[in-house]
Amino acid sequence: QLQASGGGLVQPGGSLRLSCAASGRILSIYAWAWFRQDPGKDRDFVAAISWNTGITSYADSVKGRFTISGDSAKNTVYLQMNSLKPEDTAVYYCAAGRSWGRLSSNYGSWGQGTQVTVSS
């Protein structure tokens, strides 16, 4: 089970830090990722990190502004979001799985989602 937290309302240019903690029985996590979704739209890839190698990947729209990191001892992944824009507004979902990639099908475990709203 994944539990995401840290969403909220922030002004454009502001920052938020999302967290996602794994609890219970999640076997052999190889990669974590964050996706986001607007109502009525597809779930889009945001960022991913390989647990074994530390390699990260970002969507072009967030590169240079967002940073994904993790604490393997705590089985927790973070998404530091800086220089937020109104177009970053969405429900953000964390995901964990045994394969690496930008597709939601790469990940078998999902958090419940946390709302991020960027507005003045």
Side-chain angles (χ1 to χ4, degrees), residues 8-23:
L9 173 65
V10 64
Q11 292 186 342
S15 299
L16 281 176
R17 187 194 196 202
L18 306 183
S19 300
C20 181
S23 62

Side-chain angles (χ1 to χ4, degrees), residues 21-117:
S23 62
R25 187 173 176 81
I26 298 181
L27 300 177
S28 302
I29 294 176
Y30 178 77
W32 289 81
W34 289 94
F35 290 76
R36 64 187 183 187
Q37 187 171 24
D38 286 330
K41 296 185 178 180
D42 292 336
R43 192 169 293 187
D44 294 330
F45 171 78
V46 175
I49 184 168
S50 165
W51 226 219
N52 291 348
T53 65
I55 294 174
T56 57
S57 178
Y58 296 94
D60 288 345
S61 59
V62 306
K63 199 173 294 183
R65 299 187 297 121
F66 291 10
T67 302
I68 187 170
S69 62
D71 185 334
S72 58
K74 296 181 179 179
N75 243 0
T76 299
V77 68
Y78 306 98
L79 185 68
Q80 178 67 42
M81 304 186 295
N82 299 328
S83 302
L84 282 161
K85 305 175 181 180
E87 51 263 44
D88 295 318
T89 296
V91 177
Y92 282 70
Y93 296 89
C94 60
R98 301 184 65 183
S99 62
W100 160 265
R102 295 180 167 221
L103 301 178
S104 56
S105 58
N106 290 124
Y107 304 92
S109 299
W110 290 83
Q112 83 285 6
T114 183
Q115 176 71 46
V116 172
T117 302

